[in-house]
Amino acid sequence: VVGLITGCTAGGATTNTQPTNASVEGNEAQGDTITIGYSGPAADHGWLGAINNAAIAEADKYDDVDLRIAEGTNDANLQISQVETFINDKVDAIVLLPTDGAALTQVAIRAMEAGIPVINVDREFSSTFAARATILGDNYGMGVSAGTYICEELGDNPDAVVAEIAGIDSLPLTQERSAGFAKALSDCGLSVTNRVSADFTVAGGEATTSQLLAAAPQIDALWNHDDDQGIGVLAAIDAAGRDEFIMVGGAGSANAMRLIQADDSVMKATVVYPSTQAADGIRLARLLVQEKAMSDLVEVEIPNRIVLNAPVVTSENVEKYLPTAFES
Amino acid sequence: MRKSFAGVKALQGVDLVVRPGEVHCVLGQNGAGKSTLIKTLSGAYQPDSGEIFWQGEPITIGGPVAALELGIATMYQELDVVDGLTIAENVFLGHEQATGGLLHVASANARTEQILSRLGHGEISPRMEVGQLSAANKQIVSMARALSRDTRLIIMDEPSAVLDSQEVENLFRVVAELTAQGIAVVYISHRLAEIRRIGDRITVIKDGKSMANGLSVADTSTPELIRLMTGRDVANVFPAATPIAADAPVVLACHRLGVRGVFSNVSLEVRAGEVVGLAGLVGSGRSEILEAIYGARRSTSGTVTVNGTVLRAGSVEAAVSAGIGLSPEERKSQGLILDEPIFKNVTLSSFGRFARGGFLNERRERQAAREQIEALELRPADPDLVTRTLSGGNQQKILLARWLVHGTAVLLLDEPTRGVDVGARAEIYGLIRRLAEAGTAIIVVSSEIDEVLGLADRVLVISDGAVLTTTNSNEIDEPGVLDLVMRGSAA
Amino acid sequence: MSEQITQAAPPIPQAHVSPPGRLKRTLGGSVGRNLGLVIAFALLILVGTLTAGDRFASVDNFVTIIRFASIVGVVCVGMTFVITAGGIDLSVGSVVGLSSVVASLTAVQLASAQSSWLLIVVVALAVGTLAGFVNGVVIAYGGVVAFMATLAMLVGARGLAELISNRSTQIVNNQEFLSFFRADLLGVPILIWIFLIVAVAGWVLLNRTTFGRRTVAVGGNAEASRLAGIKVKRHMVYVYMLSGLTAGIAGVMFLGRTTVGTSTHGTLLELDVIAAVVVGGTLLIGGRGTIVGSVLGILIFSTLTNVFTQNNLSTSVQNVAKGVIIVVAVLLQQRFASRGSRSK
Amino acid sequence: MSEQITQAAPPIPQAHVSPPGRLKRTLGGSVGRNLGLVIAFALLILVGTLTAGDRFASVDNFVTIIRFASIVGVVCVGMTFVITAGGIDLSVGSVVGLSSVVASLTAVQLASAQSSWLLIVVVALAVGTLAGFVNGVVIAYGGVVAFMATLAMLVGARGLAELISNRSTQIVNNQEFLSFFRADLLGVPILIWIFLIVAVAGWVLLNRTTFGRRTVAVGGNAEASRLAGIKVKRHMVYVYMLSGLTAGIAGVMFLGRTTVGTSTHGTLLELDVIAAVVVGGTLLIGGRGTIVGSVLGILIFSTLTNVFTQNNLSTSVQNVAKGVIIVVAVLLQQRFASRGSRSK
Ligand SMILES: Nc1ncnc2c1ncn2[C@@H]1O[C@H](COP(=O)(O)OP(=O)(O)OP(=O)(O)O)[C@@H](O)[C@H]1O
Ligand SMILES: Nc1ncnc2c1ncn2[C@@H]1O[C@H](COP(=O)(O)OP(=O)(O)OP(=O)(O)O)[C@@H](O)[C@H]1O
Ligand SMILES: [Mg+2]
Ligand SMILES: [Mg+2]
């Protein structure tokens, strides 16, 4: 706390670009104990499970963080009431991965009005007043990355058959991913020939893929939105004995990356969608409440908006990403 | 063989001694505890106290299986067959012909065929699904099941209630065969005439206590039996009919009414104060005629007219608002909401009248129901009692009370005394007469021909969905009706 | 369905039931029948207070619990009628989603901006009632088993909602609408008022009107009701329309609470609703229903969720506990109900 | 439940029906009763062939359809018994998930690596059967309505599966296990063989054994069955165990097909299964069940999905169509069943 005040005054007129408080050591140092409320959607598939586990693990690292977890719902009504509970309890900060960004906006605004900073993770609120900071994965960017990679691989074959296996279609993020994918493909003159949507589950991936493969006897490239359902997708591909195409995954599970590393399946690449967003959210919330800044940034305050990159992982760079990948 | 026990709430000290080869009749009013008694013997209920002796040995019957293993087979009052299974499967239910769980379908069918022939129904295929059978034939399946086991004692709880006179004859023949083989039969019926015919000895139960044990049928007079059952003297005769005024208006008129495939061309007129009876065999279509008049079944031809207005076909509401009331054949499944209090059953057709703007006035409703059930001497006359706890006769009275509260010009009564004891019967007969005298037009359907003849002013004899004759009831007797029916179905 | 086993137990003959007095009847009727629930509820509050102390036992927290319960609770009222009438409505969750989607369509929002925010409400209620009407007609006149007809609607209405919304989340812009639903009246949130009004209206309708009497009669014995002159089929259609109407109300409440309409609103709501209603003491075979029980049932479930959240327990643990509690509650419920007066 | 309306039509007594001939009976019984389904199926295949041509009407595609149906189909066989016996099992989907999770636990996998891959199978079947046992006991001996008891299991087993797996996806490493399930036998995939065997075994069990006849009897008239000496409660426990067993088999099949065990396996499976069984002609009130119908029912659903995928239609459209088809199929089903022989 003291550090921040000095930082502010010191930062006034000088060109000093190294705030004293924002060192890694300074940020790790124990501060006042704070209570962070965390609420996320039902951990009903690998990525979300990883999100929650990473958040909890992150909170466990700090003795000065008391995490209140209310994870586990796809019901906006219930999640709103969980946030209300946090407001009632006057927690110090709320990290919220909303089941639907727009639906949770009002209650987040109420929390902000009650003086509780809200960190919005992954699915964005519909109002900028609803969150003090926002950490987003780039869903549209994921689609773009996957599409661009496929364009590169397929080169200049305008008749190439591109198939897409989406996640839960009624989620806005699925729509964004598909939109990005379609955009990138159209830049090289391709389009999605066959599209099915699964439900982010292994079984759903398997079932829809086996149907898709029957419907499309010849495929050149396939993008699967989610590596967790990808296990099922690959099982179906194996069962059908198909290997004429390249497959790109999504989210970036350790499992998928090991396959890419082995380079003996159709799985050639995956697009990372970081599963550490909520953990980052917890960390930001702690810094925010303890009035610290981010290390490696000159800025003395926590930024409003952080959009995480959606890099493509291939056999060339897989070593770099494997350590932070999530186990499904 | 000796069984005696006392106990269950419904049974407070009943003794019953059955000897091999006899037909032992159990008599008692509705709710006296007859069915409860036999269910205790068949292992369906456990007695709270008392002892059962089987061939001199004291035993306990732990469940239905134990009873069956002892050789006690039971035909229950509520039909106890399974619709989805074939006749043979029903007959051998619980003791299937099988090795290692695999059924011997053919041998079961063959054995069932034998038993059915023995019962005089060789024409019924054992492979038929029981759901397709009439109530009478289901009763036969029930009987075949009892015979399929090696039994020493067969208990029959009101087997004749759903049978017509022909079938009853058949039943008696089988009973005689059984007793000749030394098998004992316990026979329960409300029809005293039947008991006179086949019974050897009688046990009378009243209010869960036995009033008389092992009376010889031959030595006991009917009034004596009735006194034992009811504790009072009941004139088991039909109330005298008062002649209808010659100018009494026609209230109900059916013109060439028909339901395709069931009955056709039924024309009848009922005048105010008149009781018309429909006689015929089981399955002749009598219930269907009532249902068609009432709109519960859509007629495909002809018209129903009440007081000069033609009713819309297939509309119960139209019939009810025109002043027709129906007391259906199956009291429990078609008539009453058993878990609701009495008064709500009484006002089921008219509760709208006790409401203002849709809001009910239960106090007035209860009051109106109370008036009627007191007038009908319902026992107990508490409008808040759950209907299920009442005896059959009293439940029947609730149905009559329903239409008394509603107020009807025409009353259709389908089997108004089925399963009702002698005492209550006499009361219901009196009631029907009083209603007629008050100007209600009444149609009565009953499987007991003497009842139709005794109650009605005029009788329509029905066979195979067609009206054979219409006569005044005093111009025809029971053999006459039967004769007509036989000739009608032969033609 | 499924009742068969319970019926297999020999009915207990009660030959000489003495007529209960008026007071005894009322006690036996209302409190007695709900005693199991009240005990369960009290226990849950005790556990909440012991484990989470003041955080749990605060006015704010109770408001949160009830506000959470209010949307599902409204649907429970409609479902109580359907189950009492001997039916079941699996489609309520999907209908909630569908009505929220249709009511928040751009066209509707534009029209409502020009007229009144009530238009949004009217549209949602109309959509819900219409879906209920379709259910009712298919069941009553088509003769399709209620379970299947409403299962079909469950699948179909969700698909329709997705098609109509093009699977996007539709944000409501009408500020009057939003501020109405965000407002408090006498310190109590509007959502809770709506729940209260629907519950009281439902109670009066079920217990004090001819409509309610018919509902119980039809559920108790449809054939006897028909032969007594009640228009059973038409009444069943009304009952399903009522259930659809409450789903429409819940759709509006979702709109007000979340400010968005989406096809995912109300997913799996039907399970919670049916569980609450049956745990509340309404018989699944029909013929007996209690609004008070249903309300208690849903309050128990939402308190349970709150206690678990307060204690940092995951949904997985919560689900296991919920499973156990449903069974225990139904068992308790049966015990006390059969003491209050004979059922079955 | 819910049957009341259908029952409102007066039962038609058929006093003097002459026994139909053997041929007529077989027609009336098997084909006649399933004629609606066969027609629906044929129509669907026609639509598929017209819209997707050879891609649809190829052997490979039919194998895909049947393989897709086989997992759900196995559960349908168990469910047919439960529904025929007058019960319902809403928990099958969760039990599938639970058994797949337990069977793919690290401990089980280690043990199976040391002994045989069959251990994984045995564990899954045991878990399923145990869950069914709990259902059965709660229903038959606890007297809890089947709908509620299995709803509780639906919620509870899912929670338990999540707790046990810690919500992670457990990959099966046992190669023998995996290659068994990926193999073909006589050109037909193992999964289809399993489905076939279970279906045939189910048919024999239902139609040719005392167990099957008793199941029908208990569902048709539980009290009459009890009086005929059948131990109704115990039988119901067996029936639910059978359903649990088929859920366990499906759990293994999921493991084999997807190579992982996870708590999400089988989510909402119960709806498809019940829909297929009832569309197939098994009466929801119990007392009549047909394995052939259930198999046709599930084939119709999976063909439907295939036709929609072949035509690149979204799940939303598919859901709307599915809703309509359920209703139409039940209506057709009723029409033809009542012609073949009296149902209801
Ligand atoms: N399920 C039940 N619930 C409550 N009371 C019952 C039940 N079954 C029987 N009783 C009561 O037990 C008593 C005896 O009934 P039971 O059926 O043995 O009479 P019954 O002599 O067979 O009469 P009926 O001639 O009408 O068949 C009656 O008072 C009846 O009301
Ligand atoms: N919907 C129908 N279709 C074809 N036949 C029918 C139909 N309804 C009834 N029947 C036939 O009509 C006849 C009359 O049936 P029902 O048993 O009701 O007559 P009933 O004279 O009232 O006899 P019961 O004494 O048994 O009441 C029977 O042969 C029955 O099979
Ligand atoms: Mg009796
Ligand atoms: Mg009749």
Side-chain angles (χ1 to χ4, degrees), chain B residues 34-36 77 157-158 188 190:
Chain B
K34 305 181 293 295
S35 298
T36 310
Q77 185 173 9
D157 196 355
E158 301 197 32
I188 298 176
H190 288 294

Side-chain angles (χ1 to χ4, degrees), chain B residues 87-427:
Chain B
I87 295 179
E89 286 166 348
N90 261 289
V91 167
F92 288 102
L93 187 61
H95 63 128
E96 292 85 356
Q97 308 248 297
T99 27
L102 275 178
L103 296 169
H104 301 311
V105 180
S107 91
N109 283 340
R111 275 203 56 193
T112 307
E113 202 146 15
Q114 281 174 12
I115 299 171
L116 286 174
S117 316
R118 185 173 157 199
L119 288 173
H121 282 278
E123 85 284 359
I124 303 178
S125 161
R127 295 182 207 86
M128 272 184 79
E129 255 185 40
V130 165
Q132 298 176 292
L133 300 178
S134 66
N137 284 351
K138 286 183 181 175
Q139 187 68 267
I140 288 159
V141 174
S142 217
M143 172 99 83
R145 176 192 288 170
L147 295 184
S148 73
R149 306 222 184 212
D150 184 20
T151 46
R152 310 294 313 280
L153 169 66
I154 298 186
I155 305 173
M156 304 183 181
D157 196 355
E158 301 197 32
S160 57
V162 295
L163 300 181
D164 61 37
S165 32
Q166 246 183 323
E167 294 292 349
V168 171
E169 285 305 318
N170 210 352
L171 175 72
F172 289 171
R173 188 178 53 72
V174 176
V175 168
E177 261 179 50
L178 291 173
T179 47
Q181 294 166 16
I183 296 173
V185 173
V186 171
Y187 190 93
I188 298 176
S189 176
H190 288 294
R191 301 183 186 172
L192 295 180
E194 289 176 357
I195 286 160
R196 292 242 152 261
R197 273 210 42 204
I198 61 157
D200 295 319
R201 295 194 309 145
I202 299 176
T203 291
V204 180
I205 300 180
K206 179 171 182 289
D207 296 336
K209 298 191 190 76
S210 41
M211 302 300 291
N213 280 313
L215 298 177
S216 150
V217 170
D219 302 343
T220 319
S221 69
T222 301
E224 165 77 5
L225 282 177
I226 293 176
R227 203 182 43 71
L228 280 171
M229 280 163 64
T230 61
R232 62 202 157 100
D233 289 311
V234 176
N236 187 26
V237 284
F238 299 99
T242 41
I244 314 145
D247 59 345
V250 171
V251 182
L252 174 79
C254 304
H255 182 66
R256 302 180 70 82
L257 194 66
V259 174
R260 197 172 303 116
V262 186
F263 66 88
S264 57
N265 269 339
V266 171
S267 300
L268 59 85
E269 288 187 346
V270 190
R271 292 191 288 166
E274 190 180 23
V275 180
V276 170
L278 301 188
L281 298 183
V282 167
S284 55
R286 297 159 302 173
S287 299
E288 278 75 5
I289 296 176
L290 293 193
E291 283 168 10
I293 295 175
Y294 191 59
R297 182 181 284 263
R298 187 181 293 275
S299 55
T300 48
S301 60
T303 53
V304 178
T305 316
V306 176
N307 285 327
T309 350
V310 177
L311 297 187
R312 192 154 50 88
S315 165
V316 173
E317 304 84 57
V320 170
S321 54
I324 309 186
L326 170 78
S327 154
E329 184 169 15
E330 306 276 345
R331 224 164 18 235
K332 290 187 175 167
S333 68
Q334 301 180 305
L336 296 167
I337 306 174
L338 291 172
D339 288 317
E340 288 284 291
I342 291 172
F343 83 91
K344 290 188 185 173
N345 271 298
V346 170
T347 59
L348 190 62
S349 293
S350 48
F351 58 76
R353 203 183 297 156
F354 301 97
R356 214 187 279 155
F359 287 88
L360 285 166
N361 184 338
E362 276 196 15
R363 206 178 44 76
R364 284 211 301 137
E365 213 184 322
R366 199 179 270 115
Q367 185 53 38
R370 186 191 298 279
E371 277 166 21
Q372 289 304 336
I373 62 181
E374 275 169 4
L376 295 181
E377 293 173 43
L378 197 79
R379 280 175 298 266
D382 177 354
D384 284 299
L385 223 51
V386 176
T387 310
R388 186 184 291 281
T389 57
L390 294 185
S391 73
N394 283 313
Q395 291 181 354
Q396 188 66 45
K397 286 182 187 169
I398 292 178
L399 290 175
L400 292 174
R402 176 183 297 168
W403 297 115
L404 289 176
V405 169
H406 185 268
T408 52
V410 181
L411 202 52
L412 312 175
L413 304 173
D414 199 352
E415 308 281 4
T417 61
R418 173 172 292 178
V420 172
D421 67 53
V422 221
R425 247 169 220 248
E427 290 174 30

